[in-house]
Coordinates of all heavy atoms in Angstrom, one line a residue:
M413 N 139.1 30.0 -63.9 CA 138.2 29.0 -64.4 C 139.2 28.1 -65.3 O 140.0 28.5 -66.1 CB 137.2 29.7 -65.3 CG 136.2 28.7 -65.8 SD 134.9 29.3 -66.9 CE 134.3 30.7 -66.1
S414 N 139.1 26.8 -65.0 CA 139.8 25.9 -65.8 C 139.5 25.8 -67.3 O 138.4 26.2 -67.6 CB 139.8 24.5 -65.2 OG 138.4 23.9 -65.5
E415 N 140.4 25.3 -68.1 CA 140.2 25.1 -69.6 C 139.0 24.3 -69.9 O 138.1 24.5 -70.7 CB 141.4 24.7 -70.1 CG 142.5 25.6 -70.2 CD 143.7 25.1 -70.9 OE1 143.7 24.1 -71.6 OE2 144.8 25.7 -70.7
D416 N 138.9 23.2 -69.0 CA 137.8 22.2 -69.3 C 136.4 22.9 -68.9 O 135.4 22.8 -69.7 CB 137.9 21.0 -68.3 CG 139.1 20.1 -68.7 OD1 139.5 20.2 -69.8 OD2 139.6 19.4 -67.9
L417 N 136.4 23.6 -67.9 CA 135.1 24.4 -67.6 C 134.9 25.4 -68.5 O 133.6 25.7 -68.9 CB 135.2 25.1 -66.2 CG 134.0 25.6 -65.6 CD1 132.9 24.6 -65.6 CD2 134.2 26.2 -64.2
Q418 N 135.8 26.0 -69.1 CA 135.5 27.1 -70.2 C 135.0 26.5 -71.3 O 134.1 26.9 -72.1 CB 136.8 27.9 -70.5 CG 137.3 28.8 -69.5 CD 138.6 29.5 -69.9 OE1 139.4 29.1 -70.8 NE2 138.9 30.6 -69.2
L419 N 135.5 25.3 -71.8 CA 135.0 24.6 -72.9 C 133.6 24.1 -72.7 O 132.7 24.3 -73.6 CB 135.9 23.3 -73.2 CG 137.3 23.7 -73.8 CD1 138.1 22.4 -74.0 CD2 137.1 24.4 -75.2
I420 N 133.3 23.6 -71.5 CA 131.9 23.2 -71.2 C 130.9 24.4 -71.3 O 129.8 24.3 -71.9 CB 131.9 22.5 -69.8 CG1 132.6 21.1 -69.9 CG2 130.4 22.3 -69.4 CD1 132.8 20.4 -68.6
V421 N 131.3 25.5 -70.8 CA 130.5 26.7 -70.8 C 130.2 27.2 -72.2 O 129.1 27.5 -72.6 CB 131.0 27.9 -69.8 CG1 130.3 29.1 -70.1 CG2 131.0 27.3 -68.4
I422 N 131.3 27.3 -72.9 CA 131.1 27.7 -74.3 C 130.3 26.7 -75.2 O 129.4 27.3 -75.8 CB 132.6 28.0 -75.0 CG1 133.3 29.2 -74.3 CG2 132.4 28.2 -76.5 CD1 134.7 29.1 -74.7
Y423 N 130.6 25.5 -75.1 CA 129.8 24.5 -75.8 C 128.3 24.5 -75.4 O 127.5 24.4 -76.2 CB 130.5 23.2 -75.8 CG 129.7 22.3 -76.7 CD1 130.1 22.4 -78.2 CD2 129.1 21.2 -76.4 CE1 129.6 21.5 -79.1 CE2 128.5 20.3 -77.4 CZ 128.7 20.5 -78.7 OH 128.2 19.6 -79.6
G424 N 128.2 24.6 -74.1 CA 126.8 24.6 -73.5 C 126.0 25.8 -74.0 O 124.8 25.7 -74.3
S425 N 126.7 26.9 -74.0 CA 126.0 28.1 -74.5 C 125.7 28.0 -75.9 O 124.5 28.5 -76.3 CB 126.9 29.4 -74.3 OG 127.2 29.5 -72.9
A426 N 126.6 27.4 -76.8 CA 126.3 27.2 -78.2 C 125.1 26.2 -78.3 O 124.3 26.6 -79.3 CB 127.6 26.8 -78.8
L427 N 125.1 25.3 -77.6 CA 124.0 24.3 -77.7 C 122.7 25.0 -77.2 O 121.6 24.8 -77.9 CB 124.2 23.0 -76.8 CG 125.1 22.0 -77.2 CD1 125.3 21.0 -76.3 CD2 124.8 21.5 -78.6
F428 N 122.7 25.8 -76.3 CA 121.5 26.5 -75.8 C 121.0 27.4 -76.9 O 119.8 27.5 -77.1 CB 121.8 27.3 -74.6 CG 120.6 28.2 -74.0 CD1 119.6 27.6 -73.4 CD2 120.7 29.6 -74.2 CE1 118.5 28.4 -73.0 CE2 119.6 30.3 -73.8 CZ 118.6 29.7 -73.2
L429 N 121.9 28.1 -77.6 CA 121.5 29.0 -78.6 C 121.0 28.2 -79.9 O 119.9 28.6 -80.5 CB 122.7 29.9 -79.1 CG 123.1 31.0 -78.2 CD1 124.3 31.6 -78.6 CD2 121.9 32.0 -78.0
I430 N 121.6 27.1 -80.2 CA 121.2 26.5 -81.3 C 119.8 25.8 -81.2 O 118.8 26.0 -82.0 CB 122.2 25.2 -81.8 CG1 123.5 25.9 -82.3 CG2 121.6 24.3 -82.7 CD1 124.7 24.9 -82.4
Y431 N 119.7 25.1 -80.0 CA 118.4 24.4 -79.7 C 117.3 25.4 -79.4 O 116.2 25.2 -79.8 CB 118.5 23.5 -78.6 CG 119.2 22.1 -79.2 CD1 120.5 21.8 -78.5 CD2 118.7 21.2 -80.1 CE1 121.0 20.6 -78.9 CE2 119.4 20.1 -80.4 CZ 120.5 19.7 -79.9 OH 121.1 18.6 -80.3
G432 N 117.7 26.5 -78.7 CA 116.7 27.5 -78.4 C 116.1 28.2 -79.7 O 114.9 28.3 -79.8
L433 N 117.0 28.6 -80.6 CA 116.5 29.1 -81.8 C 115.7 28.3 -82.7 O 114.7 28.7 -83.2 CB 117.7 29.7 -82.6 CG 118.3 31.1 -82.1 CD1 119.5 31.4 -82.9 CD2 117.2 32.1 -82.2
I434 N 116.1 27.0 -82.8 CA 115.5 26.0 -83.7 C 114.1 25.8 -83.0 O 113.0 25.8 -83.8 CB 116.2 24.8 -83.8 CG1 117.5 24.9 -84.6 CG2 115.4 23.6 -84.2 CD1 118.4 23.6 -84.6
I435 N 114.0 25.5 -81.8 CA 112.6 25.3 -81.2 C 111.8 26.6 -81.2 O 110.6 26.4 -81.5 CB 112.9 24.7 -79.6 CG1 113.5 23.3 -79.7 CG2 111.5 24.7 -79.0 CD1 114.0 22.7 -78.5
W436 N 112.2 27.7 -81.0 CA 111.5 29.0 -81.0 C 110.9 29.2 -82.4 O 109.7 29.5 -82.5 CB 112.3 30.1 -80.5 CG 111.7 31.4 -80.4 CD1 110.6 31.8 -79.6 CD2 112.0 32.4 -81.3 NE1 110.2 32.9 -79.8 CE2 111.0 33.5 -80.9 CE3 112.8 32.8 -82.3 CZ2 110.9 34.7 -81.5 CZ3 112.6 34.0 -82.9 CH2 111.9 35.0 -82.5
I437 N 111.7 29.0 -83.4 CA 111.3 29.3 -84.7 C 110.2 28.2 -85.1 O 109.2 28.6 -85.7 CB 112.4 29.2 -85.8 CG1 113.2 30.5 -85.5 CG2 112.1 29.3 -87.2 CD1 114.7 30.6 -86.3
S438 N 110.5 26.9 -84.8 CA 109.5 25.9 -85.0 C 108.2 26.2 -84.4 O 107.2 25.9 -85.0 CB 110.1 24.5 -84.6 OG 111.2 24.2 -85.4
I439 N 108.3 26.5 -83.2 CA 106.9 26.9 -82.5 C 106.2 28.0 -83.1 O 105.0 28.0 -83.3 CB 107.2 27.1 -80.9 CG1 107.7 25.8 -80.3 CG2 106.0 27.7 -80.3 CD1 108.0 25.9 -78.8
R440 N 107.0 29.0 -83.5 CA 106.4 30.3 -84.1 C 105.7 29.8 -85.4 O 104.7 30.4 -85.9 CB 107.3 31.3 -84.4 CG 107.7 32.1 -83.0 CD 108.4 33.3 -83.3 NE 107.7 34.2 -84.1 CZ 108.1 35.2 -84.7 NH1 109.4 35.3 -84.8 NH2 107.5 36.0 -85.4
K441 N 106.3 28.9 -86.2 CA 105.8 28.5 -87.5 C 104.9 27.3 -87.4 O 104.4 26.6 -88.3 CB 107.0 28.1 -88.4 CG 107.8 29.2 -88.9 CD 108.7 29.0 -89.8 CE 109.4 30.3 -90.2 NZ 110.3 30.1 -91.5
K442 N 104.4 27.0 -86.2 CA 103.5 25.8 -85.7 C 104.1 24.5 -86.4 O 103.2 23.7 -87.0 CB 102.1 26.1 -86.3 CG 101.5 27.4 -85.6 CD 100.2 27.8 -86.1 CE 99.5 28.8 -85.3 NZ 100.2 30.0 -85.1
Q443 N 105.2 24.1 -86.2 CA 105.8 22.9 -86.5 C 106.1 22.1 -85.3 O 106.3 22.6 -84.2 CB 107.1 23.1 -87.3 CG 107.0 23.7 -88.7 CD 108.3 23.9 -89.4 OE1 109.3 24.0 -88.8 NE2 108.3 24.0 -90.7
G444 N 106.2 20.8 -85.4 CA 106.6 19.9 -84.4 C 107.9 20.2 -84.0 O 108.9 20.3 -84.7
I445 N 108.2 19.9 -82.6 CA 109.6 20.1 -82.1 C 110.2 18.7 -81.6 O 111.2 18.7 -80.9 CB 109.7 21.1 -81.0 CG1 108.8 20.8 -79.8 CG2 109.3 22.5 -81.5 CD1 108.9 21.6 -78.6
A446 N 109.4 17.7 -81.8 CA 109.9 16.4 -81.3 C 111.3 16.0 -81.8 O 112.1 15.5 -80.9 CB 108.8 15.2 -81.7
P447 N 111.6 16.2 -83.0 CA 113.0 15.8 -83.4 C 114.1 16.4 -82.7 O 115.1 15.9 -82.3 CB 113.1 16.0 -84.9 CG 111.6 16.3 -85.3 CD 110.9 16.6 -84.2
Y448 N 113.9 17.8 -82.4 CA 114.8 18.6 -81.7 C 114.9 18.2 -80.2 O 116.0 18.1 -79.7 CB 114.6 20.0 -81.9 CG 114.0 20.5 -83.3 CD1 113.0 21.1 -83.5 CD2 115.0 20.2 -84.2 CE1 112.5 21.4 -84.9 CE2 114.6 20.4 -85.7 CZ 113.3 21.1 -85.8 OH 113.0 21.3 -87.1
I449 N 113.8 17.8 -79.6 CA 113.8 17.4 -78.3 C 114.6 16.1 -78.2 O 115.3 15.9 -77.2 CB 112.4 17.2 -77.7 CG1 111.7 18.6 -77.7 CG2 112.4 16.7 -76.3 CD1 112.3 19.7 -76.8
V450 N 114.3 15.2 -79.1 CA 115.2 13.9 -79.2 C 116.6 14.1 -79.3 O 117.4 13.4 -78.6 CB 114.6 13.0 -80.2 CG1 115.5 11.8 -80.5 CG2 113.1 12.5 -80.0
C451 N 117.1 15.0 -80.2 CA 118.5 15.3 -80.4 C 119.1 16.0 -79.1 O 120.2 15.7 -78.7 CB 118.6 16.3 -81.6 SG 118.4 15.5 -83.2
L452 N 118.3 16.8 -78.4 CA 118.7 17.5 -77.3 C 118.9 16.5 -76.1 O 119.9 16.4 -75.4 CB 117.8 18.6 -76.8 CG 118.1 19.3 -75.4 CD1 119.4 20.0 -75.6 CD2 117.0 20.2 -75.2
A453 N 117.9 15.5 -76.1 CA 117.9 14.4 -75.0 C 119.1 13.5 -75.2 O 119.9 13.0 -74.3 CB 116.7 13.6 -75.1
L454 N 119.3 13.2 -76.5 CA 120.5 12.3 -76.8 C 121.8 13.1 -76.5 O 122.8 12.4 -76.0 CB 120.5 11.9 -78.3 CG 119.4 10.9 -78.7 CD1 119.4 10.7 -80.1 CD2 119.8 9.5 -78.0
N455 N 121.9 14.4 -76.7 CA 122.9 15.1 -76.5 C 123.3 15.2 -74.9 O 124.4 15.0 -74.5 CB 122.8 16.6 -77.0 CG 124.1 17.2 -77.5 OD1 125.1 16.5 -77.6 ND2 124.0 18.3 -77.9
I456 N 122.3 15.2 -74.1 CA 122.5 15.3 -72.7 C 122.9 14.0 -72.1 O 123.7 13.8 -71.4 CB 121.1 15.9 -72.1 CG1 120.9 17.3 -72.4 CG2 121.2 15.6 -70.5 CD1 119.5 17.8 -71.9
I457 N 122.2 12.9 -72.7 CA 122.6 11.6 -72.3 C 124.1 11.2 -72.6 O 124.9 10.7 -71.8 CB 121.7 10.5 -72.9 CG1 120.3 10.6 -72.3 CG2 122.3 9.1 -72.8 CD1 119.2 9.8 -73.0
T458 N 124.5 11.6 -73.9 CA 126.0 11.4 -74.1 C 126.8 12.1 -73.4 O 127.9 11.7 -72.9 CB 126.1 11.8 -75.7 OG1 125.1 11.1 -76.6 CG2 127.5 11.6 -76.2
F459 N 126.6 13.4 -73.0 CA 127.3 14.1 -72.1 C 127.5 13.6 -70.8 O 128.5 13.4 -70.1 CB 126.8 15.6 -72.0 CG 127.5 16.5 -71.0 CD1 128.9 16.9 -71.3 CD2 127.1 16.8 -69.8 CE1 129.6 17.6 -70.4 CE2 127.8 17.6 -68.9 CZ 129.0 18.0 -69.2
L460 N 126.3 13.2 -70.2 CA 126.4 12.5 -68.8 C 127.1 11.2 -68.8 O 127.8 11.0 -67.8 CB 125.0 12.3 -68.3 CG 124.2 13.6 -68.0 CD1 122.8 13.2 -67.6 CD2 124.8 14.5 -66.9
I461 N 127.0 10.4 -69.8 CA 127.8 9.1 -69.9 C 129.3 9.5 -70.1 O 130.2 8.9 -69.5 CB 127.4 8.3 -71.0 CG1 126.0 7.7 -70.7 CG2 128.3 7.0 -71.3 CD1 125.3 7.0 -71.9
F462 N 129.7 10.4 -70.9 CA 130.9 10.9 -71.2 C 131.5 11.5 -69.8 O 132.7 11.0 -69.4 CB 131.1 12.0 -72.2 CG 132.4 12.5 -72.5 CD1 133.3 11.8 -73.3 CD2 132.8 13.7 -72.0 CE1 134.5 12.2 -73.5 CE2 134.0 14.2 -72.3 CZ 135.0 13.5 -73.1
L463 N 130.9 12.1 -69.0 CA 131.2 12.8 -67.9 C 131.5 11.7 -66.8 O 132.4 11.7 -65.9 CB 130.3 13.8 -67.3 CG 130.6 14.7 -66.1 CD1 131.8 15.5 -66.5 CD2 129.5 15.6 -65.7
N464 N 130.6 10.7 -66.8 CA 130.7 9.6 -65.9 C 132.0 8.8 -66.1 O 132.8 8.4 -65.1 CB 129.5 8.7 -65.9 CG 129.5 7.5 -64.9 OD1 130.0 7.7 -63.8 ND2 129.1 6.4 -65.3
I465 N 132.3 8.5 -67.3 CA 133.5 7.8 -67.7 C 134.8 8.6 -67.3 O 135.6 8.0 -66.7 CB 133.5 7.4 -69.3 CG1 132.4 6.4 -69.5 CG2 134.9 6.9 -69.7 CD1 132.3 6.1 -71.1
I466 N 134.8 9.9 -67.7 CA 136.1 10.5 -67.4 C 136.2 11.0 -65.9 O 137.4 11.3 -65.5 CB 136.2 11.8 -68.3 CG1 135.2 12.9 -68.0 CG2 136.3 11.5 -69.7 CD1 135.3 14.1 -68.7
S467 N 135.2 11.0 -65.1 CA 135.3 11.3 -63.7 C 135.5 10.1 -62.7 O 135.6 10.4 -61.6 CB 134.1 12.1 -63.3 OG 133.0 11.3 -63.4
Q468 N 135.5 9.0 -63.3 CA 135.8 7.8 -62.4 C 137.2 7.8 -61.9 O 138.2 8.0 -62.5 CB 135.6 6.5 -63.3 CG 134.3 6.2 -63.6 CD 133.2 6.0 -62.4 OE1 133.5 5.4 -61.6 NE2 132.1 6.6 -62.6
P469 N 137.3 7.6 -60.5 CA 138.6 7.7 -59.9 C 139.4 6.2 -60.2 O 138.8 5.3 -60.2 CB 138.4 7.7 -58.4 CG 137.0 7.2 -58.3 CD 136.3 7.6 -59.4
V470 N 140.5 6.4 -60.7 CA 141.3 5.2 -61.2 C 142.7 5.3 -60.4 O 143.4 6.2 -60.3 CB 141.6 5.2 -62.7 CG1 142.5 4.1 -63.0 CG2 140.4 5.2 -63.3
N471 N 143.0 4.2 -59.6 CA 144.2 4.1 -58.8 C 145.2 3.5 -59.7 O 146.5 3.7 -59.4 CB 143.9 3.3 -57.6 CG 143.1 4.0 -56.6 OD1 143.1 5.2 -56.6 ND2 142.4 3.2 -55.8
D472 N 144.9 2.7 -60.8 CA 145.9 2.1 -61.6 C 146.5 3.0 -62.5 O 145.7 3.9 -63.2 CB 145.2 1.0 -62.4 CG 146.0 0.2 -63.3 OD1 147.4 0.2 -63.0 OD2 145.6 -0.5 -64.2
P473 N 147.7 3.2 -62.7 CA 148.4 4.1 -63.6 C 148.0 4.0 -65.1 O 147.9 4.9 -65.9 CB 149.9 3.9 -63.4 CG 150.1 3.0 -62.2 CD 148.7 2.4 -62.0
Q474 N 147.6 2.7 -65.5 CA 147.2 2.5 -66.8 C 145.7 2.3 -66.9 O 145.2 1.7 -67.8 CB 147.9 1.4 -67.4 CG 149.4 1.5 -67.6 CD 150.1 0.4 -68.2 OE1 149.6 -0.7 -68.2 NE2 151.3 0.6 -68.6
G475 N 145.0 2.9 -65.9 CA 143.5 2.5 -65.8 C 142.7 3.1 -66.9 O 141.7 2.7 -67.3
G476 N 143.2 4.3 -67.5 CA 142.5 5.0 -68.6 C 142.9 4.5 -70.0 O 142.3 4.8 -71.0
M477 N 143.8 3.6 -70.0 CA 144.2 3.0 -71.3 C 143.1 2.2 -72.0 O 142.5 1.5 -71.4 CB 145.5 2.1 -71.2 CG 146.6 2.9 -70.5 SD 147.3 4.2 -71.5 CE 148.1 3.3 -72.7
G478 N 143.0 2.5 -73.2 CA 141.9 1.7 -73.9 C 140.6 2.5 -74.1 O 139.7 2.0 -74.7
L479 N 140.5 3.6 -73.4 CA 139.2 4.3 -73.5 C 139.4 5.4 -74.6 O 138.3 6.1 -74.8 CB 138.9 5.0 -72.0 CG 138.6 4.1 -71.0 CD1 138.3 4.9 -69.7 CD2 137.3 3.3 -71.3
G480 N 140.4 5.6 -75.2 CA 140.5 6.6 -76.2 C 139.5 6.5 -77.3 O 138.9 7.6 -77.7
L481 N 139.4 5.4 -77.9 CA 138.5 5.1 -78.9 C 137.0 5.4 -78.5 O 136.2 6.1 -79.2 CB 138.5 3.7 -79.4 CG 137.7 3.4 -80.7 CD1 138.1 4.2 -81.8 CD2 137.8 2.1 -81.0
L482 N 136.7 4.9 -77.2 CA 135.3 5.2 -76.8 C 135.0 6.7 -76.6 O 133.9 7.2 -76.9 CB 135.1 4.5 -75.4 CG 133.8 4.5 -74.7 CD1 132.7 3.8 -75.5 CD2 133.9 4.0 -73.4
L483 N 136.0 7.5 -76.0 CA 135.9 8.8 -75.8 C 135.8 9.5 -77.2 O 135.1 10.5 -77.3 CB 137.0 9.3 -75.0 CG 137.0 8.9 -73.5 CD1 138.2 9.4 -72.8 CD2 135.8 9.1 -72.7
I484 N 136.5 9.1 -78.2 CA 136.3 9.7 -79.5 C 135.0 9.5 -80.0 O 134.4 10.4 -80.6 CB 137.4 9.2 -80.5 CG1 138.8 9.6 -80.1 CG2 137.1 9.5 -81.9 CD1 139.9 9.0 -80.9
V485 N 134.4 8.3 -79.9 CA 133.2 8.0 -80.4 C 132.1 9.0 -79.6 O 131.2 9.5 -80.3 CB 132.7 6.5 -80.2 CG1 131.3 6.3 -80.4 CG2 133.6 5.7 -81.2
F486 N 132.2 9.0 -78.3 CA 131.3 10.0 -77.6 C 131.4 11.4 -78.0 O 130.4 12.1 -78.2 CB 131.6 9.8 -76.1 CG 130.8 8.7 -75.5 CD1 131.5 7.7 -74.9 CD2 129.5 8.6 -75.4 CE1 130.8 6.6 -74.3 CE2 128.8 7.6 -74.9 CZ 129.4 6.5 -74.2
G487 N 132.6 11.8 -78.3 CA 132.9 13.2 -78.8 C 132.2 13.4 -80.0 O 131.7 14.5 -80.4
I488 N 132.4 12.5 -81.0 CA 131.9 12.6 -82.3 C 130.3 12.7 -82.2 O 129.6 13.5 -82.8 CB 132.2 11.5 -83.2 CG1 133.8 11.7 -83.6 CG2 131.4 11.5 -84.5 CD1 134.4 10.5 -84.3
C489 N 129.7 11.9 -81.3 CA 128.3 11.8 -81.2 C 127.8 13.2 -80.6 O 126.8 13.7 -81.0 CB 127.8 10.7 -80.2 SG 127.9 9.0 -81.0
Y490 N 128.5 13.6 -79.6 CA 128.2 14.8 -78.8 C 128.2 16.0 -79.8 O 127.3 16.9 -79.8 CB 129.2 15.0 -77.8 CG 128.9 16.2 -76.8 CD1 127.7 16.0 -76.0 CD2 129.7 17.2 -76.5 CE1 127.3 16.9 -75.1 CE2 129.2 18.2 -75.7 CZ 128.1 18.1 -75.0 OH 127.7 19.0 -74.0
V491 N 129.1 16.1 -80.8 CA 129.1 17.2 -81.7 C 128.1 16.9 -82.9 O 127.6 17.9 -83.3 CB 130.5 17.4 -82.3 CG1 130.5 18.3 -83.4 CG2 131.4 17.8 -81.2
S492 N 127.8 15.7 -83.2 CA 127.0 15.5 -84.4 C 125.4 15.7 -84.1 O 124.7 16.1 -85.0 CB 127.1 14.1 -84.8 OG 126.8 13.2 -84.0
F493 N 124.9 15.5 -82.9 CA 123.6 15.7 -82.6 C 123.1 17.1 -82.9 O 122.0 17.2 -83.5 CB 123.2 15.3 -81.2 CG 123.3 13.9 -81.0 CD1 124.0 13.3 -79.8 CD2 122.6 12.9 -81.8 CE1 124.1 11.9 -79.6 CE2 122.9 11.6 -81.6 CZ 123.5 11.0 -80.5
P494 N 123.7 18.1 -82.6 CA 123.2 19.5 -82.9 C 123.4 19.7 -84.3 O 122.4 20.3 -85.0 CB 124.2 20.4 -82.3 CG 124.9 19.7 -81.2 CD 124.9 18.3 -81.6
I495 N 124.3 19.0 -85.2 CA 124.4 19.2 -86.6 C 123.1 18.4 -87.2 O 122.6 19.0 -88.1 CB 125.7 18.6 -87.1 CG1 126.8 19.5 -86.6 CG2 125.7 18.5 -88.5 CD1 128.2 18.9 -86.8
I496 N 122.8 17.2 -86.7 CA 121.7 16.5 -87.2 C 120.4 17.5 -86.9 O 119.5 17.4 -87.9 CB 121.5 15.2 -86.4 CG1 122.6 14.3 -86.8 CG2 120.1 14.5 -86.8 CD1 122.8 13.0 -86.1
A497 N 120.2 18.0 -85.8 CA 119.0 18.9 -85.5 C 119.0 20.0 -86.5 O 118.0 20.4 -87.0 CB 119.1 19.4 -84.1
L498 N 120.2 20.7 -86.8 CA 120.1 21.7 -87.9 C 119.8 21.3 -89.2 O 119.0 21.9 -89.9 CB 121.7 22.4 -87.9 CG 121.9 23.4 -86.7 CD1 123.3 23.8 -86.8 CD2 120.9 24.6 -86.8
I499 N 120.3 20.1 -89.6 CA 119.9 19.5 -90.9 C 118.4 19.3 -91.0 O 117.8 19.5 -92.0 CB 120.7 18.2 -91.2 CG1 122.3 18.5 -91.3 CG2 120.2 17.5 -92.4 CD1 123.2 17.4 -91.5
I500 N 117.9 18.7 -90.0 CA 116.4 18.4 -89.9 C 115.7 19.7 -90.0 O 114.6 19.8 -90.7 CB 115.9 17.7 -88.5 CG1 116.6 16.2 -88.6 CG2 114.5 17.5 -88.5 CD1 116.4 15.5 -87.3
F501 N 116.1 20.8 -89.3 CA 115.4 22.0 -89.3 C 115.5 22.7 -90.7 O 114.5 23.1 -91.3 CB 116.2 23.0 -88.4 CG 115.5 24.4 -88.4 CD1 114.3 24.6 -87.8 CD2 116.3 25.4 -88.8 CE1 113.8 25.9 -87.8 CE2 115.8 26.6 -88.9 CZ 114.6 26.9 -88.3
I502 N 116.6 22.6 -91.3 CA 116.8 23.2 -92.7 C 115.9 22.5 -93.7 O 115.3 23.1 -94.5 CB 118.4 23.1 -93.2 CG1 119.1 24.2 -92.3 CG2 118.4 23.6 -94.5 CD1 120.6 24.2 -92.3
V503 N 116.0 21.2 -93.7 CA 115.2 20.2 -94.6 C 113.7 20.7 -94.4 O 113.0 20.8 -95.4 CB 115.5 18.8 -94.4 CG1 114.5 18.0 -95.1 CG2 116.8 18.5 -94.9
R504 N 113.3 20.7 -93.1 CA 111.8 21.1 -92.9 C 111.4 22.4 -93.4 O 110.4 22.7 -93.9 CB 111.5 21.0 -91.4 CG 111.6 19.5 -91.0 CD 111.4 19.4 -89.5 NE 110.0 19.5 -89.2 CZ 109.4 19.4 -87.9 NH1 110.3 19.4 -86.9 NH2 108.2 19.4 -87.6
Q505 N 112.4 23.4 -93.2 CA 112.1 24.8 -93.7 C 112.1 24.8 -95.2 O 111.3 25.4 -95.9 CB 113.2 25.8 -93.3 CG 113.1 25.9 -91.8 CD 111.8 26.3 -91.2 OE1 111.1 27.2 -91.7 NE2 111.4 25.7 -90.1
L506 N 113.0 24.0 -96.0 CA 113.0 24.0 -97.4 C 111.7 23.4 -97.9 O 111.1 23.7 -98.9 CB 114.2 23.4 -97.9 CG 115.5 24.1 -97.7 CD1 116.7 23.4 -98.1 CD2 115.5 25.5 -98.4
R507 N 111.4 22.2 -97.2 CA 110.2 21.6 -97.8 C 108.9 22.4 -97.5 O 108.0 22.4 -98.3 CB 110.1 20.2 -96.9 CG 109.5 19.2 -97.7 CD 109.3 17.9 -96.7 NE 110.5 17.0 -96.9 CZ 110.6 16.0 -96.2 NH1 109.8 15.6 -95.2 NH2 111.6 15.3 -96.5
R508 N 108.9 23.2 -96.4 CA 107.8 24.1 -96.2 C 107.6 25.2 -97.3 O 106.6 25.5 -97.6 CB 107.8 24.7 -94.8 CG 106.6 25.4 -94.4 CD 106.7 26.0 -92.9 NE 105.6 26.8 -92.7 CZ 104.8 26.5 -91.7 NH1 105.0 25.5 -90.8 NH2 103.7 27.2 -91.4
K509 N 108.8 25.7 -97.8 CA 108.8 26.7 -98.8 C 108.2 26.1 -100.2 O 107.7 27.0 -100.9 CB 110.1 27.3 -98.9 CG 110.6 28.3 -97.9 CD 111.9 28.9 -97.9 CE 112.2 29.8 -96.7 NZ 113.5 30.3 -96.9
K510 N 108.6 24.9 -100.4 CA 108.1 24.3 -101.7 C 106.7 24.1 -101.7 O 106.0 24.2 -102.8 CB 108.9 23.1 -101.9 CG 110.3 23.3 -102.3 CD 110.9 21.9 -102.7 CE 112.4 22.1 -103.1 NZ 113.0 20.8 -103.2
A511 N 106.2 23.8 -100.6 CA 104.7 23.5 -100.5 C 103.7 24.8 -100.6 O 104.1 25.8 -100.5 CB 104.4 22.7 -99.3

């Protein structure tokens, strides 16, 4: 298995666990899951756009030049969406305990 595929499998498994637990706990506590579905959808869209960019065949030796900043932005977004979902979950749980 290539290193790229290993990273995708590990990160995908972590995302599955994070979103799965958050959604499962929210459903059990009869809370809405819309913010988590939005974060998950944004995560999937970001991954597909990122995958489309990096998988384009380029015959020019300098064809990938200039995409570094764009790929960094996609990487930051890809990692930040699960963090945003966790923050929303924690805030909602703390707010529920105060009420």
Side-chain angles (χ1 to χ4, degrees):
M413 188 181 309
S414 71
E415 291 178 15
D416 293 337
L417 185 58
Q418 285 178 347
L419 288 173
I420 290 171
V421 168
I422 290 169
Y423 192 71
S425 300
L427 286 178
F428 176 75
L429 287 174
I430 290 169
Y431 285 117
L433 283 173
I434 287 174
I435 291 172
W436 181 66
I437 291 170
S438 295
I439 288 173
R440 286 191 63 202
K441 293 187 176 190
K442 295 180 175 49
Q443 293 178 337
I445 60 171
Y448 315 124
I449 299 297
V450 169
C451 286
L452 180 61
L454 289 172
N455 219 3
I456 291 171
I457 290 168
T458 305
F459 175 71
L460 292 176
I461 292 171
F462 180 77
L463 190 62
N464 184 32
I465 290 172
I466 64 171
S467 66
Q468 293 295 322
V470 177
N471 294 332
D472 184 18
Q474 294 182 345
M477 301 297 283
L479 289 178
L481 182 61
L482 181 67
L483 296 179
I484 289 172
V485 170
F486 276 115
I488 290 171
C489 290
Y490 192 60
V491 172
S492 66
F493 289 132
I495 294 170
I496 291 169
L498 280 172
I499 291 170
I500 292 170
F501 177 74
I502 291 170
V503 168
R504 290 174 84 184
Q505 295 304 315
L506 291 176
R507 218 184 261 173
R508 186 175 177 124
K509 285 183 182 179
K510 287 183 180 179

